[in-house]
Amino acid sequence: MEVEKKFLEIVMDIFRANPETLTDDTKFIDDLHAKSIDTIALIAATENTFGIRVPSQDARKNQTIGQAIEYIKKKLSEKA
Amino acid sequence: MVIKDILRRAEGLQKRIIFPEGSDKRIIKAAKLTAENNTIIPILVGDERIIGQKANELGVKLDNFEIIEPSTSSKLEQYVSLYSELSKIPERTSKQIIQQSIFYSAMALKSSYADGMIGGLVYTSGDFIAVCNGVIGLRKEIKVPSSFFIMEIPSHEGGENGFLLYADASVNPNPTAEELADIAISTGHSAKMLLGWEPRVAMLSFSTKGSADHPDVTKVVDAVKLAHKKAKDMKIGGEFQADTALVLSTAKRKIKADDIGDVAGRANILIFPDLDAGNIAYKLTQILAKANAYGPILQGFAKPLSDLSRGATVEDIVGVIAIVSVIADRWDA
């Protein structure tokens, strides 16, 4: 739950999104209208919050919030 | 030759240049070489321990370097607050973003802690430009970043003693008339700042002064009008075919004497209507005219900065450092 909560907080802040509208299926580009700078800021905040490296080619494969959360959890378990 | 001249002019300028990829060995080497002749005072951003380790492996002493680790920097809170205000992202998340070297470095440049920034060894050009655009912003009245190449053409006697600037050959695929006008103005400014030229900017087309009627021609005609309006003192001409822009006898044949102006046949800057034309032209010039192409050099930003190709060598980086230092030195000129 902690990963979900922290990541949703980052998404809310960067995209000025209403938390009630965010679901696992929310798409960064189609639904949140992410521009390049938003994606780079999202990668930066994710890396520093969770202490993981997110190569930009990996980030671009994660098109939804649910996919991104799964990716972060996988990276954290590899780290542990 | 042009790079040698720029390297010589950059010596002793002591510009504070910030490098977001401070732990890359090529950056450390190039920074050392240019610090030795006082071109720059290097500011390396990254993990202090890793930078120290890499420098040690290279046998480079970091005595005259400034090393900044964003997470422990005394400027962190100030930059977080500024970035939060700029981006409207709350401070709790801005703090995480600014700890990333590229965002920290861009904020340091924006707040004039550094005179110039050079990066792009790790980041793609698109990402680097997006951060620079979002954090540092563009020059007053310029709405689009762009790039130019310095072309050194041994067989050409015109231009500026055989040199020409080509733009845009790497950033904007299909600029609008307004964007094309901005590219022309930015390139004129770059020519003044970097090379000390009096710009003579030709806006290229497949038509000369109305010889063809097509929406693509109209775009260039509109761009010329907009550029004249925005940069009244800059010599900008068009729409011209390439031969009209470069060969005076051809220009005299194609344009009436009272309409020829200062640019036709004498251009030292060529503005291409789109990225297809610009990119194809610079590569053909390189191959067929055995020209040297230096660039692409970014322009249009509110502060001096440049992108590096990910495959850049130490020698390439030294050249870019000299270019950014010279531009930074003449920034207010």
Side-chain angles (χ1 to χ4, degrees):
Chain A
M1 278 308 283
E2 192 58 14
V3 171
E4 281 90 337
K5 191 176 160 233
K6 280 187 184 172
F7 187 71
L8 285 176
E9 200 171 273
I10 294 170
V11 172
M12 269 161 46
D13 285 354
I14 290 177
F15 297 98
R16 272 78 74 194
N18 178 349
E20 288 166 16
T21 64
L22 298 177
T23 69
D24 278 357
D25 296 328
T26 302
K27 291 181 175 166
F28 295 110
I29 293 176
D30 294 345
D31 300 326
L32 298 173
H33 311 292
K35 295 180 196 145
S36 291
I37 181 116
D38 301 322
T39 307
I40 308 160
L42 184 64
I43 294 171
T46 303
E47 287 190 340
N48 284 301
T49 302
F50 298 102
I52 56 172
R53 278 279 299 124
V54 183
S56 58
Q57 61 268 32
D58 283 7
R60 283 173 173 85
K61 283 182 203 155
N62 294 308
Q63 293 176 3
T64 66
I65 287 180
Q67 286 169 348
I69 290 170
E70 282 314 305
Y71 176 85
I72 296 165
K73 285 181 176 171
K74 188 168 163 260
K75 280 279 196 176
L76 287 171
S77 68
E78 283 169 8
K79 204 174 129 188
Chain B
M1 187 174 144
V2 71
I3 286 295
K4 271 189 189 163
D5 179 52
I6 293 169
L7 287 168
R8 188 185 47 74
R9 283 167 53 208
E11 280 182 23
L13 293 178
Q14 291 200 305
K15 292 294 154 193
R16 291 173 55 80
I17 304 296
I18 194 160
F19 299 91
E21 293 139 340
S23 58
D24 189 287
K25 280 186 174 178
R26 291 168 291 175
I27 293 287
I28 297 172
K29 266 191 179 175
K32 180 67 180 172
L33 288 169
T34 45
E36 274 171 357
N37 62 18
N38 290 317
T39 295
I40 64 165
I41 298 168
I43 307 169
L44 303 186
V45 182
D47 184 316
E48 273 191 80
R49 191 184 51 81
I50 295 174
I51 293 172
Q53 190 187 318
K54 297 269 177 77
N56 206 25
E57 286 166 16
L58 291 166
V60 169
K61 286 191 178 163
L62 298 173
D63 301 343
N64 47 357
F65 283 56
E66 187 176 341
I67 315 292
I68 298 177
E69 186 160 329
S71 61
T72 57
S73 158
S74 61
K75 300 267 182 198
L76 180 64
E77 294 305 326
Q78 182 195 338
Y79 293 167
V80 167
S81 166
L82 283 171
Y83 181 70
S84 175
E85 204 181 309
L86 175 82
S87 64
K88 312 290 177 223
I89 296 173
E91 289 203 5
R92 62 180 180 185
T93 297
S94 287
K95 189 168 185 172
Q96 303 303 328
I97 295 169
I98 286 297
Q99 287 182 61
Q100 201 81 341
S101 299
I102 190 162
F103 282 94
Y104 181 95
S105 303
M107 281 310 302
L109 182 61
K110 187 179 177 69
S111 56
S112 300
Y113 184 77
D115 299 316
M117 175 168 82
I118 296 169
L121 286 177
V122 175
Y123 295 93
T124 65
S125 291
D127 287 354
F128 185 77
I129 290 170
V131 173
C132 293
N133 202 355
V135 176
I136 296 157
L138 300 173
R139 280 178 79 94
K140 205 177 160 203
E141 293 189 12
I142 295 294
K143 293 201 169 69
V144 68
S146 56
S147 72
F148 68 95
F149 277 89
I150 305 173
M151 304 298 299
E152 182 179 22
I153 309 161
S155 54
H156 183 55
E157 288 171 2
E160 195 80 13
N161 301 315
F163 288 92
L164 288 167
L165 297 194
Y166 283 15
D168 176 5
S170 75
V171 179
N172 298 284
N174 193 10
T176 62
E178 195 178 17
E179 288 167 345
L180 206 51
D182 283 359
I183 293 167
I185 295 166
S186 290
T187 314
H189 282 141
S190 297
K192 269 192 198 174
M193 285 190 291
L194 180 62
L195 301 161
W197 294 0
E198 178 62 34
R200 297 184 300 277
V201 187
M203 311 281 280
L204 298 186
S205 169
F206 60 84
S207 163
T208 295
K209 293 282 186 184
S211 64
D213 183 15
H214 187 275
D216 289 349
V217 177
T218 307
K219 178 176 94 167
V220 179
V221 171
D222 290 347
V224 174
K225 285 181 194 158
L226 289 165
H228 281 153
K229 216 182 264 181
K230 283 175 100 170
K232 291 186 176 65
D233 299 332
M234 196 178 282
K235 289 173 182 166
I236 300 170
E239 90 288 2
F240 297 144
Q241 288 160 284
D243 55 352
T244 313
L246 294 169
V247 183
L248 192 56
S249 56
T250 307
K252 283 178 177 170
R253 272 202 307 277
K254 291 191 178 183
I255 306 171
K256 287 177 191 162
D258 58 351
D259 197 23
I260 201 156
D262 297 313
V263 178
R266 302 180 182 93
N268 56 11
I269 297 173
L270 303 182
I271 304 300
F272 295 89
D274 61 26
L275 192 50
D276 273 339
N279 193 274
I280 292 166
Y282 108 78
K283 286 185 186 291
L284 284 181
T285 313
Q286 258 185 315
I287 295 165
L288 301 179
K290 298 187 171 33
N292 292 313
Y294 303 100
I297 301 163
L298 288 179
Q299 60 182 3
F301 292 97
K303 294 277 184 177
L305 58 91
S306 192
D307 180 29
L308 295 166
S309 93
R310 278 175 281 176
T313 62
V314 171
E315 195 185 357
D316 295 335
I317 300 169
V318 166
V320 173
I321 290 173
I323 286 169
V324 172
S325 299
V326 169
I327 290 177
D329 192 54
R330 299 178 60 104
W331 193 249
D332 296 317

